[in-house]
Amino acid sequence: MAGPQVQAPPLREFAEIPALQPGAMGASKPYIASDKINTAIGFPGELTEGWQDRAIGRMGELLKRYRSLKVYLESCVHCGACTDKCHYFLGTGDPKNMPVARQDLMRSVYRRYFTLPGKVFPKLVGARDLTKEVLDEWYLYYNQCSECRRCSVFCPYGIDTAEITMAGREIMDSVGLGQKYSNEIIGKVHRIGNNLGLPGPALEDTLSGLEEDVKEETGADVRYPLNEKGAEVLLVTPSADFFAEPHVESLIGYGKVFHAAGISWTLSTHASEAGNFGMFIGNYEQLRSIAMRIREAALELGVKRIIVGECGHAWRVAYSFWNTLTGIGAGAKDPFAIELQNQLDLRYPQPMHICEFTHDLIQRGALTLDKEANDHRIVTYHDSCNVARASRMGARAGGQFDIPREIIRAVANNFVEMDPDTTRERTFCCGGGGGLLTDELLDLRVKGALPRMEALRKVADGGKVNFMATICAICKAQFTKVLPFYGFKMNMVGGVHQLVSTAIRLGAKQ
Ligand code: SF4
Ligand code: SF4
C-alpha cells in the first residue's frame, strides 16, 4: 500500500498563526481496528446497528464517572485563547485542529442529549445528533490530538482537551470503532508483556548482547539482569529501549548507573513495558489491567523499589495513577496492594523516575563523570509533554523540568536552551504522542512537529546545537523519523541517559 503523501511546512523565523485551511486534514486518519483486534481486548468488533444509543449511553457513564468531563463540556466561553496553541493546528491550518473546535465536536453532542436547551432547541444552542457523519468527524479529529495538554495551560478555565479526546476515543471503542495501532499494541501487552511483542528469549538475547558490548567498551562487568528474584529495584522501561536506536543507548546508561551505585536491579519479562496505551484510548479498565502487570512482577520478584525508565506517558501513568490503580504508592486498598505496600521500601518515592535516581546519585557525588566525553555534543533539551504537564519529579515544584537539565549539565559542558515559549510547561509535543505514532499518520506527525522544529532550527543555527536530549521513547522514535523532513540528521535526538552513559566512568579501560 502506498504511504501517505508527506509535506513538511516551511520553517518560519517568527511563529505566526497560520492561514485557515478548512478540511486540510479531512482525510488524515489512522487505520480502523479489525474485528479480531478489537474483540481480543474485549471491545465490540465493529460498528453495528444501535451504535448511537450505545455511544450515548457510554457518554452518560463517562459524564458520571469523570466530573471533570462534564465541567469541561459546560464551561468553555469560546474566548479563543487556546486556538493557536495546538501544534497540529499550527502545522496544518485546519480549523478543526484548534483545541476549542476539537472540544466542540463532543460538546455539540453533549448538549443535544444531556442538556434541556439542546433537547428542546438544538439549533439555537449548537446541539447536534450523533450521526454517522459526526462520528466520522470524531474519528478524524480525536485521532489528530496527541493528548499533550498544551492548550490547557493557556485556557483561563483550565479546560483539558486531552481528557475530551480520551473520552471521544473511549466512546468510539465502546461501539467498535477502535484505532488499529493502539488496540493492536494493547493486545500485545496482554499476550506477551510489551508493546512490541518481544518474547522473553528475545529480551534475554538482547540483554546478554548489551553485557558483552559494555564489557568491551568499559572493561566492567555491567549486568542487564532479567527476572532476578530478590533484586532491590525493578526497572520498568519502554520496550523500545530493548532494541531501537537511540533508545537502547539509554538502557545501556541505566545499567551503568546501577553498576556504579552498587544497587542490584532487574528487568521483568512479565512487565517488560512501561508504556500504557490504555491511557491513550481513555479506557480505565485497560489502563488498570496493563498497570497491574507491574504490580504482579514486583510482588513475584520481591523488589523493594520500582523505577521507571525514559518514557513520557509511562511516567504520567506511574506518577499520577499507579497508586490508585495498583497500590504502587499509597492509595489502593485491596490485599495485594497492601502486600505490596508492606514489601516496598517507603523511604524512597514509589515509583521513582530513573532521572530522580541518577540525579540523587550525582548530588551525593556517587558517580564518576567525565563531562569532556560529551564535548562533541552541543545539547538542548526537549521537555516531553506528559512529563512536563502531567507529572512531577523530586520534592520541589518544577522538578520535572530541572532534574533532567541538572543531569545534562553534570554530564556535558555545552547546553543551550530553546525558546522559552517552547520549553518547560509551554513545551510543544513532538507530534507523535497520544497513540499517533503510526506510519499512516506520518503527514500529520511531520506537520505537528513544526513548532518544535522551528525552535530547534534557531538553536542549531545560532547555538550550533547538534544533540536534542529527551526522556520519552515516543519523542525519540518520532524525531528520528521527522528530523530529516526538516533538514536535520536523524541521530541528533537521544536520551538523557545516553549522555550519562557517555560520561560515566566505570572500568579498567576508562
Ligand atoms: S491536547 Fe495537545 S494535541 Fe490535543 S488539542 Fe490540546 S494542544 Fe492540541
Ligand atoms: S481557552 Fe478555554 S474557554 Fe477559551 S476557547 Fe479555549 S477551551 Fe474555551
Side-chain angles (χ1 to χ4, degrees):
M1 191 182 295
Q5 287 273 334
V6 180
Q7 185 83 49
L11 298 178
R12 305 150 308 169
E13 191 170 346
F14 301 105
E16 52 195 48
I17 300 173
L20 293 188
Q21 298 192 49
M25 300 307 285
S28 172
K29 59 182 172 185
Y31 297 139
I32 293 172
S34 66
D35 188 316
K36 191 172 160 204
I37 289 171
N38 282 341
T39 51
I41 58 173
F43 293 150
E46 59 184 357
L47 216 54
T48 53
E49 203 158 324
W51 66 265
Q52 287 99 334
D53 289 342
R54 291 195 293 278
I56 297 303
R58 188 68 181 151
M59 193 168 170
E61 287 167 21
L62 296 184
L63 288 164
K64 279 197 195 113
R65 182 185 263 194
Y66 308 121
R67 286 184 61 201
S68 53
L69 180 62
K70 191 172 164 64
V71 170
Y72 295 154
L73 292 173
E74 291 276 1
S75 55
C76 174
V77 295
H78 287 80
C79 69
C82 64
T83 50
D84 60 345
K85 303 304 185 292
C86 175
H87 50 291
Y88 291 122
F89 171 65
L90 294 173
T92 68
D94 190 325
K96 291 221 169 91
N97 274 324
M98 291 176 176
V100 60
R102 204 184 310 285
Q103 297 164 21
D104 279 351
L105 295 175
M106 184 173 294
R107 189 170 285 121
S108 56
V109 173
Y110 164 76
R111 286 196 178 130
R112 180 73 183 96
Y113 298 93
F114 296 95
T115 69
L116 188 61
K119 286 178 186 170
V120 183
F121 309 110
K123 288 217 167 69
L124 281 182
V125 294
R128 297 191 301 174
D129 288 338
L130 182 56
T131 61
K132 179 66 170 54
E133 202 184 10
V134 170
L135 189 74
D136 289 343
E137 236 182 356
W138 280 27
Y139 192 75
L140 280 170
Y141 291 100
Y142 288 129
N143 284 306
Q144 293 185 35
C145 168
S146 55
E147 302 171 354
C148 77
R149 312 182 83 213
R150 186 171 195 269
C151 47
S152 70
V153 171
F154 298 88
C155 173
Y157 296 90
I159 294 172
D160 185 356
T161 315
E163 274 202 39
I164 296 174
T165 291
M166 288 172 191
R169 292 187 191 173
E170 157 75 346
I171 293 165
M172 288 189 281
D173 264 321
S174 77
V175 294
L177 186 61
Q179 187 221 53
K180 175 175 185 276
Y181 172 65
S182 292
N183 289 1
E184 197 168 38
I185 279 177
I186 289 170
K188 281 185 200 157
V189 177
H190 290 316
R191 278 199 326 279
I192 303 165
N194 56 65
N195 290 0
L196 297 172
L198 295 167
L203 294 181
E204 271 171 44
D205 270 7
T206 303
L207 296 173
S208 68
L210 290 185
E211 288 180 356
E212 285 167 24
D213 293 349
V214 175
K215 173 83 178 171
E216 173 77 25
E217 178 207 345
T218 65
D221 289 312
V222 177
R223 299 202 53 230
Y224 292 85
L226 187 63
N227 301 328
E228 284 203 354
K229 284 197 176 178
E232 165 90 7
V233 171
L234 169 64
L235 178 77
V236 187
T237 205
S239 54
D241 282 3
F242 294 112
F243 88 106
E245 282 287 352
H247 309 62
V248 70
E249 305 296 336
S250 283
L251 175 56
I252 292 170
Y254 314 149
K256 290 181 180 177
V257 171
F258 283 118
H259 177 89
I263 294 175
S264 66
W265 66 293
T266 187
L267 294 151
S268 153
T269 316
H270 186 66
S272 47
E273 181 59 67
N276 191 327
F277 276 40
M279 189 184 73
F280 291 160
I281 64 166
N283 184 280
Y284 176 85
E285 289 71 24
Q286 294 293 343
L287 183 70
R288 182 164 195 268
S289 64
I290 293 169
M292 287 298 272
R293 298 181 70 91
I294 291 151
R295 160 163 128 185
E296 288 153 10
L299 285 170
E300 165 72 18
L301 296 169
V303 295
K304 299 283 182 208
R305 303 168 68 178
I306 301 176
I307 295 183
V308 179
E310 293 183 357
C311 178
H313 82 278
W315 182 239
R316 175 178 184 174
V317 173
Y319 180 87
S320 302
F321 308 131
W322 270 5
N323 58 345
T324 49
L325 285 176
T326 67
I328 302 169
K333 299 274 186 276
D334 65 274
F336 293 107
I338 290 165
E339 185 185 337
L340 186 62
Q341 289 307 305
N342 292 335
Q343 176 186 306
L344 294 175
D345 186 340
L346 299 178
R347 288 174 303 166
Y348 300 99
Q350 304 284 0
M352 184 183 239
H353 194 281
I354 187 72
C355 282
E356 291 176 292
F357 177 71
T358 300
H359 183 260
D360 177 57
L361 292 168
I362 292 171
Q363 297 290 301
R364 291 195 281 116
L367 303 180
T368 306
L369 300 167
D370 171 17
K371 291 168 84 164
E372 280 68 39
N374 275 310
D375 273 356
H376 57 296
R377 292 171 170 144
I378 301 178
V379 182
T380 192
Y381 181 67
H382 164 78
D383 294 274
S384 301
C385 43
N386 279 301
V387 175
R389 288 187 287 263
S391 71
R392 196 164 141 174
M393 271 181 216
R396 58 187 140 123
Q400 74 272 32
F401 309 124
D402 297 334
I403 285 176
R405 283 172 171 81
E406 286 171 16
I407 295 175
I408 294 171
R409 288 185 194 280
V411 299
N413 284 311
N414 310 306
F415 179 69
V416 178
E417 283 282 10
M418 287 186 276
D419 182 338
D421 249 359
T422 74
T423 56
R424 299 173 77 92
E425 68 271 20
R426 293 179 167 223
T427 189
F428 277 102
C429 170
C430 62
L436 307 185
L437 192 75
T438 176
D439 283 350
E440 69 269 26
L441 294 179
L442 186 56
D443 185 46
L444 175 80
R445 289 165 47 194
V446 167
K447 289 179 164 71
L450 176 74
R452 172 49 72 229
M453 294 295 102
E454 288 178 332
L456 181 61
R457 172 50 66 201
K458 280 188 193 153
V459 290
D461 290 348
K464 304 281 179 254
V465 162
N466 61 8
F467 190 90
M468 179 166 60
T470 186
I471 52 171
C472 174
I474 287 178
C475 295
K476 290 173 195 169
Q478 158 75 351
F479 285 135
T480 302
K481 191 95 177 185
V482 305
L483 280 165
F485 284 93
Y486 290 95
F488 297 107
K489 289 191 178 142
M490 64 192 294
N491 65 359
M492 79 179 284
V493 65
V496 166
H497 279 79
Q498 182 173 343
L499 298 173
V500 174
S501 178
T502 303
I504 197 165
R505 290 294 164 259
L506 302 174
K509 289 192 180 181
Q510 294 178 325

